[in-house]
Amino acid sequence: MTGLRTHRSLRLALVAVAVAIAASVLIQLAQDGWVLLPSISDYFYSPARGVFVGGLTAASVALLALSGRDTESIMLDVAAVFAPLIAIIPTGYRGQPFVPADVLPTVRNGVGVYLVMVAALLVLAVILATRGEVAWRRVAIVGGIAGAVSAALAVLAFAPGVSESFPFAGRVNLHLVATICFFAMFAAIPLITAFGSAERTERRYRLIYLTVALLIAVALVLTVVAAIVRPEDGGVLIGETVALTAFAVFWTTQTIERWRDADPPSILAG
């Protein structure tokens, strides 16, 4: 029963994270006289920052801790690679491609901690794989992505001649890139759950998963286009809100479907 309770608690915690971020933004919105900022990510520059950063960090830990289902398991781990970056690396201040000078030291501190934690987790993953407790293919895929992301981030954040424009090297919004990568996983996972699983998914759940995948895909396109064309007009806010809501719906639905799954099958050694 302990495994069952832990599995349920982790799943409910992820739903709670989405609710907490939404509540924090709504409370701040009310305090601001219902004047919207350009995006949810812009609330990093408001009193909602603590919940925004803490919630996404907690989500990353929960995603790593949860057992998965084959390919879905790997995609959850990849999502966990990008979730903290959405929190650590802010979007541009009020839609402009820069981060205030007084905020940058905090951002670089967070990046440094991220690099240390990724390195520690990669070492742990190799040890566990050597002991036969984690599949090498899983370590290779997730570890390869995490290692590549960390190496690129280290250069962009700290290398002389490059770090001066961080986090907008080449005018590329790294926060937006991390957000797209995170939600791309959650656009693909419902499709895998509905059609790629060896277990049969009930029709009602399959319809919800397909709808969620479509909504997140559309939201991502809207977010990217709005961020490039007119970041100040609210398109990014709408895209992020739709993606976050769809994520919450997917995770809540899957939690209901798998409420009694104490230890879902995952990619294990051998």
Side-chain angles (χ1 to χ4, degrees), residues 8 12 45 121 178 199 267:
R8 289 174 175 175
L12 291 173
Y45 299 107
L121 288 172
E199 303 170 29
I267 296 181

Side-chain angles (χ1 to χ4, degrees), residues 20-191:
I21 292 174
S24 179
V25 170
L26 285 173
I27 290 171
Q28 187 58 41
L29 182 59
Q31 292 177 341
D32 292 341
W34 303 103
V35 177
L36 290 169
L37 294 181
S39 69
I40 293 177
S41 300
D42 275 277
Y43 283 89
F44 176 92
Y45 299 107
S46 77
R49 179 192 299 184
V51 175
F52 183 78
V53 173
L56 286 168
T57 303
S60 178
V61 174
L63 288 170
L64 284 175
L66 275 169
S67 294
R69 277 175 161 72
D70 300 325
T71 304
E72 179 185 327
S73 179
I74 288 181
M75 298 184 80
L76 288 174
D77 287 347
V78 173
V81 170
F82 292 104
L85 296 181
I86 301 174
I88 293 169
I89 304 175
T91 189
Y93 185 72
R94 298 299 185 265
Q96 300 302 311
F98 77 95
V99 172
D102 61 326
V103 177
L104 273 176
T106 300
V107 176
R108 286 199 169 92
N109 180 275
V111 170
V113 172
Y114 178 86
L115 298 178
V116 170
M117 294 307 298
V118 168
L121 288 172
L122 287 177
V123 171
L124 176 61
V126 171
I127 292 173
L128 292 176
T130 302
R131 291 165 56 92
E133 298 179 23
V134 177
W136 277 109
R137 59 190 173 191
R138 184 172 183 175
V139 174
I141 294 172
V142 180
I145 292 173
V149 169
S150 296
L153 198 57
V155 171
L156 293 174
F158 300 110
V162 179
S163 60
E164 289 78 4
S165 57
F166 179 79
F168 290 93
R171 296 187 68 82
V172 175
N173 186 337
L174 295 182
H175 173 87
L176 181 61
V177 172
T179 301
I180 292 170
C181 291
F182 175 82
F183 279 112
M185 294 299 100
F186 280 98
I189 288 174
L191 296 177

